Amino acid sequence: MTVQPIRLFGDPVLRTPADPVVDFDVELRKLVADLTDTMREQNGAGLAAPQLGVGLRVFAFDVDDVLGHLVNPVLEFPDAEEQDGPEGCLSIPGLYFDTKRRQNVIAKGFNGYGDPVQFVGTGLMARCVQHETDHLDGVLFVDRLDPDGRKEAMKAIRQADWYDPTTPPTVKLNPHAVGSPFGLGR
Ligand SMILES: [Zn+2]
């Protein structure tokens, strides 16, 4: 077994953008195996490397009986169609909130041997790869909620039995905004 402990909301590693994979070596393939085994043990639809404390751009997925992984993913959206439905995260266990996502996605990247891969995802698969790619940018699905939904989610997280208040929660109000954490330097 290579099941690893999953980092929970509040752990800074979940807020740290991950680095691109450079070496497609045996260590990478071990990471893919750990991600896959841990995801399956937890009955998850996907798991990204930062959730195991590893800052590399890799995730595994298991959606509609399609099991796979993607290294250095790049997503493209062929149209503007959206979906709205319940989403959860193994780093925010037991909590689900309706989250808007794109309905269709073209996912490009590499497998663990460095071979280019590309696939089209719709519905749940599209939701999964958007969620997991967000993880690689330090973004969590609660960041994608509207202000009321985010407020509700934060309240539920603070009340969750797994939540450790000694690690301060951070919610990025705008994942695309880049600025000094102290509001200085402009
Ligand atoms: Zn997640």
Side-chain angles (χ1 to χ4, degrees):
M1 286 293 268
T2 43
V3 170
Q4 306 282 339
I6 294 178
R7 305 300 183 94
L8 298 177
F9 185 98
D11 190 317
V13 73
L14 296 175
R15 292 307 194 177
T16 307
D19 295 325
V21 169
V22 177
D23 298 318
F24 291 80
D25 55 9
V26 68
E27 284 300 310
L28 174 65
R29 294 189 285 279
K30 182 181 178 302
L31 172 61
V32 169
D34 287 356
L35 286 167
T36 303
D37 290 352
T38 307
M39 169 184 69
R40 299 192 89 179
E41 201 237 10
Q42 297 289 328
N43 293 314
L47 191 66
Q51 293 179 277
L52 297 186
V54 179
L56 289 173
R57 301 186 74 82
V58 187
F59 65 77
F61 57 86
D62 185 8
V63 179
D64 298 334
D65 294 325
V66 179
L67 180 69
H69 64 275
L70 201 56
V71 179
N72 296 345
V74 175
L75 304 188
E76 292 174 8
F77 301 105
D79 55 44
E81 194 181 341
E82 290 192 330
Q83 57 174 318
D84 194 4
E87 192 163 315
C89 179
L90 292 175
S91 294
I92 307 176
L95 299 175
Y96 299 85
F97 300 97
D98 284 352
T99 308
K100 280 201 180 76
R101 294 285 185 184
R102 301 293 278 270
Q103 171 70 9
N104 301 299
V105 63
I106 301 167
K108 298 178 178 180
F110 301 87
N111 67 16
Y113 293 90
D115 305 317
V117 292
Q118 175 175 335
F119 60 89
V120 175
T122 63
L124 266 185
M125 179 63 90
R127 179 179 292 282
C128 175
V129 298
Q130 288 168 83
H131 178 115
E132 301 311 327
T133 302
D134 271 354
H135 271 301
L136 307 182
D137 295 326
V139 174
L140 300 174
F141 83 98
V142 292
D143 304 338
R144 298 281 184 194
L145 305 176
D146 62 28
D148 283 348
R150 200 154 51 222
K151 214 171 149 186
E152 186 192 336
M154 283 309 303
K155 191 175 171 204
I157 287 169
R158 284 196 202 94
Q159 290 172 347
D161 56 4
W162 52 261
Y163 177 63
D164 177 2
T166 61
T167 52
T170 51
V171 171
K172 290 184 177 178
L173 296 180
N174 179 352
H176 303 295
V178 178
S180 156
F182 304 107
L184 303 170
R186 188 173 282 263

